Amino acid sequence: MLKITPVLSGIILFYQLGISAHASQTAAPAFQEKAIEMLRHSISVRTVEGHGLVPQLAQYYVEQFKQAGFAAEDIHLLPVADTAALVVRYKGNGSAGKKPIMLSAHLDVVEALPEDWERDPYTLIEENGYYFGRGVSDNKFGVAVLASTLMRLKAEGFVPSRDIILALSGDEETLMLSTIALAHQYCDLIDAEYALIADGGGGQLDENGLATSFTVDSAEKTYATFEMTATNTGGHSSLPRQDNAIRDLAEALNKIFAYQFPVEATELTRSYFSQTASLVGGDLGKAMTNFAKDPSDKKAITVLRSMPEYAGSTGTTCVPTLLKGGHAENALPQSATATINCRIFPGVGVANTLAQLKKVVGNDKLQWLTLDEPIESDASPIRQDVFNAIANGVHASYPDLPIIPHMASGASDGMHFRSVGIPSYTFSGIFIKASDQFAHGLNERVPTATVPVALKMWYSILKELTE
Ligand SMILES: [Zn+2]
């Protein structure tokens, strides 16, 4: 066997040497460089809503995949309004006799204004052990790492036992029209058994940089918004009456504030609480352990519901978020409206939640409106094959790290895939401290050290699931 050093690594050399276990080890650094090159280019294209640049970035990836040896017929650039989705199929030999596995991430980013940032958000900048740039974590990292991993497998001559589909959406941060198009119009292109989404979840580091846990979002609460309106004939404010639209609305709001939706628990949330308990310790940890054992434990419920970061995992929540009312300072209000945003526990349902709110308020004269079209999706099952593969991929870098299934509070691409029957698991290969989390915010960053970790993880997961 030839002795080759990492310095000599590269795709061309790799092709010349043919495929061997030794050679595949040598390929890793080349594809790490490839991932960073694609990340750098991706950051430079301002794929913000309204700029219409997502198709341009999708076209760049089309070229990258062609150069990496993917057949043109397996690459689909799908224009959707002024954005686009991209689907690339990595053909397998079908020996597994199973439907494809889908990988997903999104090409668009939240707006970043250069004048507000310390560095240009649309240039990948490496500084003090970090990469900075808009999308460097959310979610161009996921796109570049998934693409590079597929290119590496292709270069190694790997033939999966089932097809692998990469489906990139183009407006996850806003309307998700491209995701909806993938889930419905182009469902034949994403006929997957399940989806692995590289956007969210992932590894947590403590402030000393030690890994504490790895989260896999396996369910999502349903995001629904209602408007509640009180109306009145109004009149002159110098002639006040007992009935008043603002008063009716205020009384209804007080009842909503005082109400708590029933406690809910699933296999997923119980597993989440039982595993998180040992990480947080103390009274909170105890409450989590007790809740995991017995979700009707009143003391545990009180502790968990007093904490904003855990309350949502115990049931549906609804919060008034906007108010408008009246039309003149010297007139009795003819109408008053409150907006109520709900995060509905899987299985509870939008209609049931609205019915419950009406019951709590107990005023038939109020009018209710459901905004947009809430997408309901079931929790995805905790599949052992998927969680084992994730654990092995993570443990290659961080042995024994707890892998924790989690319910996200919504709303991401996963809900559209789940809603058409594709179980979805969301996790990125990013390991990051809470204090370095700036996704959607200023000076978004990822530690440079997380790039090889993420690549090693995805490579391991895909090999295990499709060998
Ligand atoms: Zn994202």
Side-chain angles (χ1 to χ4, degrees):
M1 197 184 277
L2 271 166
K3 175 114 181 82
I4 42 180
T5 64
V7 180
L8 291 174
S9 70
I11 305 170
I12 295 166
L13 171 68
F14 184 70
Y15 274 125
Q16 286 167 348
L17 289 169
I19 311 308
S20 72
H22 190 168
S24 79
Q25 289 304 310
T26 316
F31 286 93
Q32 185 174 321
E33 275 171 39
K34 186 73 196 166
I36 292 164
E37 173 199 317
M38 292 190 293
L39 181 60
R40 178 171 286 117
H41 181 83
S42 302
I43 300 291
S44 74
V45 185
R46 190 173 183 164
T47 52
V48 171
E49 186 190 29
H51 291 245
L53 290 174
V54 170
Q56 186 184 311
L57 181 56
Q59 183 59 39
Y60 165 80
Y61 276 100
V62 169
E63 299 308 324
Q64 296 299 309
F65 276 103
K66 280 187 188 162
Q67 281 169 26
F70 286 77
E73 65 188 36
D74 293 332
I75 305 173
H76 308 270
L77 203 169
L78 311 165
V80 180
D82 70 341
T83 183
L86 177 66
V87 176
V88 179
R89 186 172 283 245
Y90 190 142
K91 289 249 175 70
N93 59 21
S95 61
K98 290 175 179 162
K99 285 165 81 174
I101 294 172
M102 177 165 75
L103 308 175
S104 186
H106 62 87
L107 293 162
D108 60 312
V109 291
V110 170
E111 178 69 291
L113 299 175
E115 55 271 32
D116 295 342
W117 278 48
E118 285 169 37
R119 306 160 192 83
D120 176 21
Y122 302 105
T123 303
L124 184 80
I125 292 173
E126 186 179 350
E127 210 178 285
N128 304 326
Y130 292 95
Y131 290 119
F132 290 87
R134 170 55 89 228
V136 80
S137 75
D138 186 11
N139 181 227
K140 287 170 172 174
F141 184 97
V143 174
V145 163
L146 290 179
S148 158
T149 303
L150 293 177
M151 290 170 190
R152 177 180 170 193
L153 290 168
K154 192 72 152 181
E156 290 173 8
F158 177 70
V159 181
S161 59
R162 59 206 292 188
D163 289 3
I164 303 171
I165 298 165
L166 175 69
L168 303 176
S169 62
D171 59 342
E172 192 271 349
E173 301 289 5
T174 52
L175 296 174
M176 298 196 204
L177 297 178
S178 59
T179 323
I180 294 165
L182 284 170
H184 296 275
Q185 190 180 349
Y186 299 112
C187 59
D188 290 349
L189 293 177
I190 60 154
D191 53 328
E193 186 182 5
Y194 57 82
L196 309 177
I197 305 176
D199 178 26
Q204 289 82 43
L205 301 177
D206 67 15
E207 289 309 305
N208 299 315
L210 293 173
T212 56
S213 63
F214 188 89
T215 303
V216 181
D217 289 342
S218 315
E220 218 166 287
K221 295 179 90 175
T222 302
Y223 180 108
T225 305
F226 306 109
E227 271 187 3
M228 172 174 75
T229 298
T231 52
N232 193 283
T233 49
H236 201 285
S237 62
S238 64
L239 305 167
R241 299 193 309 267
Q242 284 304 304
D243 59 305
N244 179 299
I246 289 177
R247 180 180 179 168
D248 289 347
L249 191 78
E251 284 174 358
L253 285 171
N254 275 333
K255 288 178 183 165
I256 291 172
F257 277 118
Y259 178 71
Q260 291 204 328
F261 279 84
V263 173
E264 307 276 350
T266 59
E267 174 199 22
L268 189 160
T269 58
R270 290 170 85 157
S271 166
Y272 165 72
F273 279 127
S274 80
Q275 291 199 68
T276 308
S278 57
L279 301 175
V280 299
D283 286 346
L284 177 59
K286 215 176 196 174
M288 289 181 175
T289 303
N290 292 342
F291 183 82
K293 277 194 212 133
D294 175 13
S296 67
D297 184 315
K298 290 230 163 55
K299 218 172 125 191
I301 294 164
T302 306
V303 173
L304 296 178
R305 289 208 156 171
S306 72
M307 306 198 61
E309 59 269 60
Y310 301 113
S313 296
T314 70
T316 297
T317 60
C318 290
V319 190
T321 53
L322 290 169
L323 270 181
K324 58 177 190 266
H327 56 282
E329 68 177 53
N330 58 357
L332 297 173
Q334 288 166 5
S335 83
T337 299
T339 303
I340 306 187
N341 181 247
C342 298
R343 309 299 169 114
I344 301 168
F345 204 87
V348 171
V350 175
N352 287 336
T353 302
L354 177 57
Q356 186 58 28
L357 283 173
K358 286 180 181 173
K359 200 172 145 199
V360 166
V361 165
N363 181 348
D364 292 345
K365 282 184 258 158
L366 298 185
Q367 290 136 38
W368 292 81
L369 194 67
T370 304
L371 302 187
D372 302 322
E373 265 180 59
I375 305 290
E376 302 193 45
S377 64
D378 290 335
S380 301
I382 302 178
R383 291 179 62 117
Q384 270 325 306
D385 56 347
V386 171
F387 274 80
N388 286 344
I390 295 171
N392 291 332
V394 170
H395 293 165
S397 300
Y398 296 102
D400 302 327
L401 195 68
I403 309 294
I404 304 180
H406 177 249
M407 177 174 64
S409 49
S412 74
D413 281 347
M415 74 179 178
H416 290 290
F417 300 137
R418 281 192 199 97
S419 77
V420 293
I422 302 175
S424 298
Y425 304 91
T426 298
F427 54 97
S428 81
I430 298 174
F431 280 75
I432 196 164
K433 296 175 189 173
S435 60
D436 282 334
Q437 271 291 8
F438 292 94
H440 294 198
L442 286 176
N443 307 315
E444 184 178 349
R445 71 197 66 174
V446 287
T448 55
T450 207
V451 177
V453 171
L455 288 166
K456 197 195 267 186
M457 183 195 82
W458 281 108
Y459 181 81
S460 165
I461 290 171
L462 289 183
K463 276 228 145 166
E464 181 168 336
L465 291 172
T466 67
E467 213 151 35

